[in-house]
Amino acid sequence: MAFTLPPLPYAYDALEAAIDARTVEIHYTKHHQTYLNNLNSALEKFPQFFEKSIEDILRDLNQIPEEIRTAVRNNGGGYYNHIIYWSIMQPAPAGEPQGKLAEAIEKSFGNFANFKAELEKAGMARFGSGWAWLSKKTDGSLVIHSTPNQDTPLAEGLYPVLGVDVWEHAYYLRYQNRRAEYLTNWWNVVNWKEVERRFVES
Ligand code: MN3
């Protein structure tokens, strides 16, 4: 069974408080779809990997035959990272983290404002294309970090709880070079219930 694109859980214009409709449409129907298509094409020669979850594939890329490993790393990563990105956004207003997630954020970063500043800093410090992440370590604590290109936290032994795409294709139409403004506005559309679910259930 080939991998498939999960439906977008809202309309293209639902995220206008942070991201314009045209960007959401192109990002989902072109960029995300292309990562998926390329992942499926790469795996066609080794269909046994269609039996595995995308998380199991990305956790240990050394299990992937060398001739398709880079393609799977880039396109499997792109496929997976964007599923997280779409799922942890919702139409504004976003509110704030609650419950166990809020407690863990306070424990690791002092308070919510400081957490947001640290994540924005990680996004700004990523030179070129990549992602800023809030991830969970195996001991249950939280860490902010970033990955280049479509590399995933899974490959570093971390579980991605929240991720923001800082490739230019994620923000260029509305923000041009102003990545900082995109990151500030992005908080308007974060789905904290889903972020908390990812934290609690992982
Ligand atoms: Mn992207």
Side-chain angles (χ1 to χ4, degrees):
M1 270 284 285
F3 288 97
T4 57
L5 204 60
L8 202 64
Y10 33 70
Y12 297 139
D13 64 358
L15 307 176
E16 283 282 354
I19 308 167
D20 61 280
R22 185 80 178 123
T23 294
V24 172
E25 182 178 2
I26 296 169
H27 201 171
Y28 175 72
T29 66
K30 307 294 183 193
H31 292 272
H32 197 179
Q33 180 74 48
T34 301
Y35 293 124
L36 168 68
N37 295 347
N38 291 343
L39 170 67
N40 283 332
S41 312
L43 292 179
E44 262 165 25
K45 274 181 82 174
F46 303 95
Q48 67 268 30
F49 290 103
F50 287 129
E51 308 301 317
K52 289 181 174 268
S53 73
I54 188 63
E55 290 187 335
D56 284 344
I57 289 173
L58 295 168
R59 261 189 207 109
D60 179 16
L61 287 164
N62 288 325
Q63 68 185 310
I64 305 297
E66 208 173 342
E67 69 171 283
I68 62 163
R69 192 178 302 150
T70 300
V72 170
R73 175 180 176 173
N74 290 338
N75 294 287
Y79 169 64
Y80 178 70
N81 290 341
H82 287 84
I83 291 174
I84 298 171
Y85 182 64
W86 301 125
S87 74
I88 59 150
M89 294 191 285
Q90 62 168 28
E96 290 196 4
Q98 307 289 327
K100 288 196 168 69
L101 175 67
E103 282 169 32
I105 284 175
E106 272 171 39
K107 196 171 162 196
S108 294
F109 311 107
N111 56 56
F112 184 50
N114 191 53
F115 155 74
K116 289 201 291 185
E118 291 292 321
L119 194 96
E120 288 174 33
K121 202 162 85 184
M124 291 304 294
R126 169 51 53 200
F127 183 78
S129 298
W131 292 75
W133 300 100
L134 174 69
S135 293
K136 190 178 176 181
K137 297 189 201 174
T138 46
D139 68 4
S141 65
L142 289 170
V143 61
I144 287 171
H145 64 119
S146 95
T147 57
N149 305 311
Q150 296 298 351
D151 286 356
T152 69
L154 296 173
E156 300 176 32
L158 299 167
Y159 187 79
V161 171
L162 169 152
V164 57
D165 190 342
V166 297
W167 285 57
E168 281 187 343
H169 68 230
Y171 61 85
Y172 204 83
L173 291 183
R174 179 182 282 181
Y175 299 100
Q176 292 82 51
N177 62 317
R178 305 186 306 278
R179 186 189 287 183
E181 197 180 322
Y182 158 67
L183 286 170
T184 304
N185 288 346
W186 187 71
W187 300 115
N188 294 335
V189 294
V190 174
N191 180 346
W192 289 109
K193 275 210 172 69
E194 176 60 12
V195 177
E196 185 180 12
R197 189 197 65 75
R198 296 183 63 82
F199 173 67
V200 172
E201 292 181 11
S202 59

